[in-house]
Amino acid sequence: MTTTFLSTFLRELGSRRNLAASAALLFLLVVAVLSAAAPLLPIQDPLAIDTLNILSGPSQAHWLGTDELGRDILSRIIHGGRISLGVALSAVLLAGVLGTLLGVLIGFCGPRVEAVAMRLIDVFVSLPEIFVALIALALLGGGLGTLIGTIGLIYCPQFARVVYNMTRSIRAREHVLAARSLGAGRLWLIRHEALPNLYSIIAVQASVTFSFALLMEAGLSFLGLGVQPPTPSWGQMVGILKNYIYINPWSAVFPGLALFFVVLAVNLVGDLLQDVLNPELRK
Amino acid sequence: MTAAPLLSVRDLSVRFGDFLAVDGVGFDVAPGEVVCIVGESGSGKSVTGRAIMGLLDGSVRRSGEILLRGEALQDASEKRMNAVRGKEISMIFQEPMTALNPGMRVGAQIAEVLLLHFPVTRAEAMRRAVALLERVGIRDAKTRARAFPHELSGGMRQRVMIAIACAADPALIIADEPTTALDVTVQAQVLELLFKMQRELGSAVVFVTHDLGVVAGIADRVVVLYRGKVVEQGTVTEIFTRAQHPYTRALIAAAPDVELPRTPGLRFPTVDTDAIFGRADGAPASAPAPSSAAPVPAAPASLAGTEEDAATPALELRDLHRTFRLGGGLLPFGGKSLHAVNGVSLTIAPGTTTALIGESGSGKSTLGRCVARLDRPTSGDILYRGRDVVALRGDELMAFRRQVQTIFQDPFASLNPRRTVGEAVTDGLAIHGLAGREERHERARALLARVGLDPDYVSRYPHQFSGGQRQRIAIARALALDPRFIVADEAVSALDVSVRAQVLNLLSDLQDEHRLSFLFITHDLSTVRQFADRVAIMRAGEIVEDGETEAIFTDPQHEYTRSLLAAVPRIHLESAHRLRPLPA
């Protein structure tokens, strides 16, 4: 089943039943391209201040209006997406690489290491995420690097746990025993027997983590502990513009909507990934 | 056939998407008659059983007629079908653990059927459920009725299934491989029970199975299926004594016969479906014959002090113990212990095959894993060519790994789904650094040819092969390092008879050519009489009897060996082995 994971996924995408997921994937692709190409797009400078035109509603010149300093909101959403998505993606990569390595290694290190390491990981998983993030950022200060590092490390133990549990079930499979009986060492087992069979579950976990990371970044930036002005991010824009919601409600709504639709789309695609991975769970 | 069949299946077809699982199947079942539907895996026999019950997914397309006493069930409403199921037709499944509700006491599960179909009170239903449990031979039925399925053994669960199936006195029982998951002695008891109940209730039975030995013991009539089509049907006497179709004849010839005395050099008869039916499209073909000319890998590195020496046993086990601690967590004390292997001593001479026979839980697989050093014994010695296996380290361990290979039971689990067949069979060479990429590719082709597969399949993935072909790939992988000793753990048990014969023939050839020694672990007595030189019978971690194969089969000393031998279904129609009288 795992061998055909990608092809099944692509086939499922094409079927009518998964119209929403296909649309979501298309939407994410558009968002990703826009964010990646933001500096090249013929849009206004997201930092250009226009004090004569603050908190305006949608207009010809500013399709989504302007913020409290007269900056173009559309441009800031696109540039902000670059930051928000970039932070979330980097955090997922960090959590994914580190968590996968940890999970696989623990899975191949014998029962004693396993018992101790997994209890430690349980401790980390049980810590309230936002609380840990607040403390870390308050102590270390904001900044993109710290933000990515904090979010990545917070989601790393969950990743490790999922990968570890899967590794345990793979470890008991006969093909792993067969490789051991050929003389394969731990590294060979991890590289050739375990990892290739983990990719699909890693993909699913990454999609789940991605939407959490996106929301975490938004939450932290909303509170002013994440991305620092003038660099825009969606959560930070909502956080600042909420103060002016009685003057111009539009301005805070748009970055919020961007966040909402991207998280929704990620979840839809993630659900489909999940279905392809565990067809028996599908209704 | 008598005038009014109880069940009449006409031109039944079942289609899953593009796959035609059942193709125009038709047969009749008279009241009180036992009809066996026989076929190898993928023949559509189980699907046929389920289609009669209307138990297929909505997405599956079914056509044809299913007439129960003339009533067309294929058009019946779901409400009507619910009245039919359990009351008129009931079903027994292969795996009672998954067929029973794990969260419900077994007595309540039996009572449920009674409450559904009869106007009885709950108390009355429970009373009858306990009576039924007594009837299916469950002792202390009143207490057992309050047990959950997981608290019962496999055989007891199947007895509960039979009680549920018989609860409403059905006219027809459909039994789908009801004894395949059971040990041979339990199988004998469960079959006996099922047909005792059948006799008492006068029900007809449609019995789906792959095992011709079981068929010979129970059937009135037999329907032989191949790839969804009826190949042949007739009375059990017709099928077993004068079958018309070459496939039926080949299938019966290939069925292992526990009563056939050991004949050295005898080949296992195979079923050449390609010749009988023509090549099936899609499935990769098997190469015509394994060619002995295929290059054989380089001679193995010698394990110091283990030169070929006929006097030194290939393997010697001395008072081997393997104890598992259950529960107790991290702490080194507490919990219970399970003596999986309890004081086993065994000697295997070079170039010979020793069959280790035991039922599930006898510790035979644990023993095999200890021998291959995939598990460590708690105490005792394992000597491979005189060397202590447990003490091997470094280069010596690697040399051991080259010489001792394991073939596992399940060819679907023992091949990594993410590695091509070419990679899989040459992993050993890569691990031991014996060949570069180019050379490994050539070796992979030669190895596939060696086990009778097309060398061009090297870049395919395991899922593209059938079970038998996968098992040959697993054998090719074991052969890549030119081993001296092979632990085959139920290596042919999951295979259809036709494929099993091919694999056993292949293993015999390899043994002759390379003087291999085999530890052949199996629960199946019927195949080993021809295949093994010596037999060891294992029960509850101990070897109760071992000796020359013929001696064990003709003059078993231990009572357990005798009961095992007696329980093996015979392929002959002699009345001594029949559970029911032969049809006139």
Side-chain angles (χ1 to χ4, degrees), chain B residues 133-145 156 159:
Chain B
L133 281 176
E134 262 163 18
R135 228 174 133 187
V136 296
I138 289 182
R139 266 173 288 173
D140 197 8
K142 214 160 188 165
T143 323
R144 295 292 191 183
M156 292 236 271
R159 284 169 189 268

Side-chain angles (χ1 to χ4, degrees), chain A residues 100-101 104 170 189-199 202:
Chain A
T100 302
L101 281 179
V104 173
I170 292 174
L189 295 182
I190 289 174
R191 211 182 118 199
H192 295 291
E193 307 296 328
L195 277 182
N197 288 297
L198 284 166
Y199 290 146
I202 291 173

Side-chain angles (χ1 to χ4, degrees), chain A residues 2-3 174-175 182 192 197, chain B residues 374 408 413 416-419 432:
Chain A
T2 41
T3 319
E174 285 188 342
H175 67 79
L182 289 170
H192 295 291
N197 288 297
Chain B
L374 294 170
F408 295 93
N416 185 341
R418 295 301 190 114
R419 286 182 83 65
H432 291 267

Side-chain angles (χ1 to χ4, degrees), chain A residues 2-5 111-112 115-116 173-175 177-185 188 192-194 196-197 199-200, chain B residues 330 369 374 398 401 404-406 408-410 413-419 427-428 430-432 461 463 477 481:
Chain A
T2 41
T3 319
T4 53
F5 181 62
R112 273 158 212 272
V116 174
R173 290 189 196 163
E174 285 188 342
H175 67 79
L177 275 181
R180 277 177 58 202
S181 81
L182 289 170
W188 172 285
H192 295 291
E193 307 296 328
N197 288 297
Y199 290 146
S200 46
Chain B
L330 262 183
R369 287 182 184 192
L374 294 170
M398 286 307 262
R401 290 277 186 230
V404 178
Q405 291 297 325
T406 310
F408 295 93
Q409 169 171 18
D410 182 358
S414 68
L415 292 170
N416 185 341
R418 295 301 190 114
R419 286 182 83 65
D427 270 354
I431 289 167
H432 291 267
Y461 284 89
H463 71 94
R477 173 176 59 189
L481 291 170

Side-chain angles (χ1 to χ4, degrees), chain B residues 84-269:
Chain B
V84 168
R85 289 184 200 126
K87 177 88 179 69
E88 308 269 357
I89 310 178
S90 64
M91 192 146 183
I92 302 172
F93 295 91
Q94 173 170 352
E95 188 32 80
M97 191 60 222
T98 50
L100 291 171
N101 182 345
M104 201 169 164
R105 299 177 198 279
V106 294
Q109 298 194 45
I110 301 172
E112 192 182 28
V113 183
L114 298 166
L115 287 166
L116 273 172
H117 295 292
F118 299 106
V120 290
T121 62
R122 178 151 283 279
E124 171 62 18
M126 278 309 291
R127 230 185 339 268
R128 284 214 232 164
V130 172
L132 270 162
L133 281 176
E134 262 163 18
R135 228 174 133 187
V136 296
I138 289 182
R139 266 173 288 173
D140 197 8
K142 214 160 188 165
T143 323
R144 295 292 191 183
R146 298 192 46 77
F148 287 99
H150 71 266
E151 297 172 311
L152 304 176
S153 69
M156 292 236 271
R157 285 198 285 265
Q158 203 57 297
R159 284 169 189 268
V160 172
M161 274 302 293
I162 291 174
I164 292 175
C166 295
D169 191 6
L172 175 67
I173 299 171
I174 299 174
D176 184 3
E177 303 255 15
T179 57
T180 305
L182 303 175
D183 282 326
V184 61
T185 49
V186 184
Q187 160 171 294
Q189 295 160 9
V190 167
L191 283 175
E192 199 171 306
L193 167 71
L194 178 60
F195 289 98
K196 184 193 97 170
M197 296 295 284
Q198 183 261 343
R199 216 168 27 246
E200 290 173 14
L201 301 176
S203 313
V205 174
V206 171
F207 195 99
V208 175
T209 183
H210 70 283
D211 188 337
L212 282 165
V214 172
V215 175
I218 61 170
D220 293 317
R221 286 193 316 114
V222 182
V223 179
V224 184
L225 292 190
Y226 180 76
R227 293 234 168 86
K229 285 200 173 80
V230 175
V231 171
E232 181 167 9
Q233 54 178 312
T235 66
V236 67
T237 322
E238 282 166 1
I239 293 291
F240 277 87
T241 58
R242 41 182 192 278
Q244 299 297 308
H245 198 281
Y247 177 69
T248 315
R249 287 202 297 264
L251 211 55
I252 290 169
D257 183 355
V258 74
E259 297 192 333
L260 190 67
R262 180 168 158 76
T263 325
L266 183 84
R267 307 289 289 172
F268 291 94

Side-chain angles (χ1 to χ4, degrees), chain A residues 87-257:
Chain A
V87 168
L89 195 66
S90 313
V92 169
L93 276 178
L94 179 68
V97 171
L98 213 61
T100 302
L101 281 179
L102 265 176
V104 173
L105 284 175
I106 294 170
F108 277 97
C109 273
R112 273 158 212 272
V113 176
E114 243 171 78
V116 174
M118 288 321 293
R119 291 301 80 75
L120 277 177
I121 282 182
D122 286 348
V123 170
F124 281 104
V125 171
S126 61
L127 291 174
E129 294 151 12
I130 197 90
F131 177 72
V132 173
L134 283 177
I135 291 182
L137 287 171
L139 291 176
L140 299 170
L144 282 184
T146 335
L147 193 61
I148 292 169
T150 307
I151 300 176
L153 288 180
I154 281 177
Y155 289 112
C156 169
Q158 297 185 4
F159 234 104
R161 198 151 74 165
V162 168
V163 169
Y164 161 77
N165 283 321
M166 190 68 191
T167 304
R168 265 176 62 140
S169 86
I170 292 174
R171 196 182 55 187
R173 290 189 196 163
E174 285 188 342
H175 67 79
V176 178
L177 275 181
R180 277 177 58 202
S181 81
L182 289 170
R186 213 168 278 177
L187 274 181
W188 172 285
L189 295 182
I190 289 174
R191 211 182 118 199
H192 295 291
E193 307 296 328
L195 277 182
N197 288 297
L198 284 166
Y199 290 146
S200 46
I201 196 145
I202 291 173
V204 172
Q205 180 63 19
S207 79
V208 175
T209 309
F210 185 77
S211 52
F212 279 130
L214 206 57
L215 289 171
M216 171 76 83
E217 183 278 327
L220 292 171
S221 299
F222 178 91
L223 296 172
L225 284 164
V227 178
Q228 298 302 313
T231 315
S233 94
W234 293 343
Q236 176 220 55
M237 288 171 73
V238 177
I240 290 170
L241 291 168
K242 74 163 192 310
N243 299 322
Y244 309 101
I245 203 148
Y246 296 112
I247 302 169
N248 180 8
W250 285 111
S251 48
V253 166
F254 289 121
L257 280 179

